[in-house]
Amino acid sequence: MRNLTILFLILFTSNSFSQIECEFDSDINDTSGTYKNTKDYVMHERYFGNNKATLFFSLVNADGLISLNVQYIQKNSDFISAKCLDKNSKVYVQLANGKVITLLGIEQENCGNLIRNENENIRFISGYFLFMKDSYEELKKSPIEIIRVKFAGEMQDFIIKSELISELDGKTYKPENYFINYLKCVE
């Protein structure tokens, strides 16, 4: 009996410590509706010379409609060409189980913003993508291997790591388990 109690305590405590806490930028519930938005999460970084690029995800639930906000920020001392999102833009998620999940872009025309300061150019683009019902459950079961973003006129692949120590903020991220850990936050 004592061994069973110890086993139960070990399982209970390890399970409770491994739970990911939901953190929100916005969590509004009032007479006009509900809106939840998770904090931005670093999914991919590429720092090479003076070229820096970071891909962020956040999840949104607006009155029951769940979407993915994708933000891509590039920094460079040289000119940065525009990447645009349009009504045909998509995000493809290749999972470790071999399945490819497609998220559809909301009708949007966006080529981002270019900000210049004295040392570098910064290009920021953001867009929202909708989950298809039949694939939503798959994202909760399997880690991510590759993210492909279909911009207007080009595609870009992002190899997703199991663990990423961000050069941007020094924090440790686990991007391959992003949907497994955070979809529950907006359901």
Side-chain angles (χ1 to χ4, degrees):
M1 184 65 172
R2 181 174 179 237
N3 290 339
L4 186 59
T5 305
I6 292 172
L7 179 63
F8 176 75
L9 286 173
I10 290 171
L11 290 174
F12 176 73
T13 55
S14 67
N15 197 19
S16 64
F17 287 120
S18 67
Q19 295 293 321
I20 301 294
E21 187 174 320
C22 297
E23 295 182 53
F24 297 99
D25 270 342
S26 302
D27 189 358
I28 301 167
N29 190 0
D30 60 19
T31 57
S32 62
T34 60
Y35 181 84
K36 283 185 179 185
N37 182 35
T38 61
K39 289 191 178 253
D40 292 337
Y41 196 88
V42 177
M43 294 298 293
H44 184 272
E45 282 184 330
R46 184 174 161 256
Y47 285 63
F48 186 76
N50 65 346
N51 186 20
K52 302 171 187 168
T54 308
L55 180 71
F56 295 93
F57 279 6
S58 66
L59 293 164
V60 177
N61 182 335
D63 292 326
L65 180 64
I66 297 173
S67 61
L68 176 69
N69 181 350
V70 175
Q71 298 175 48
Y72 188 53
I73 300 173
Q74 296 172 281
K75 296 179 182 181
N76 198 321
S77 57
D78 298 329
F79 177 75
I80 303 169
S81 62
K83 293 184 184 302
C84 298
L85 296 171
D86 64 11
K87 64 181 180 179
N88 297 316
S89 294
K90 294 178 174 74
V91 171
Y92 301 98
V93 181
Q94 182 173 329
L95 301 176
N97 66 9
K99 295 186 179 181
V100 176
I101 307 301
T102 304
L103 286 77
L104 304 174
I106 295 175
E107 291 209 21
Q108 57 197 359
E109 302 258 340
N110 180 359
C111 291
N113 298 318
L114 179 65
I115 302 166
R116 295 180 186 198
N117 66 24
E118 57 194 48
N119 298 328
E120 64 187 353
N121 296 311
I122 302 168
R123 184 165 299 276
F124 173 84
I125 188 166
S126 178
Y128 291 89
F129 296 85
L130 298 174
F131 296 93
M132 296 193 310
K133 260 189 174 178
D134 58 339
S135 59
Y136 186 78
E137 292 300 317
E138 285 298 323
L139 292 168
K140 293 191 229 176
K141 297 177 190 173
S142 183
I144 304 167
E145 287 187 339
I146 300 172
I147 300 288
R148 173 174 283 173
V149 179
K150 181 181 183 243
F151 296 99
E154 68 178 293
M155 287 194 208
Q156 186 164 353
D157 290 343
F158 301 92
I159 307 299
I160 302 302
K161 297 179 178 179
S162 60
E163 184 173 280
L164 180 140
I165 299 172
S166 174
E167 292 188 37
L168 182 68
D169 62 11
K171 294 181 181 177
T172 300
Y173 294 89
K174 301 199 181 288
E176 77 173 4
N177 290 321
Y178 178 74
F179 293 117
I180 293 170
N181 293 335
Y182 293 102
L183 273 173
K184 65 180 172 45
C185 297
V186 293
E187 293 184 308

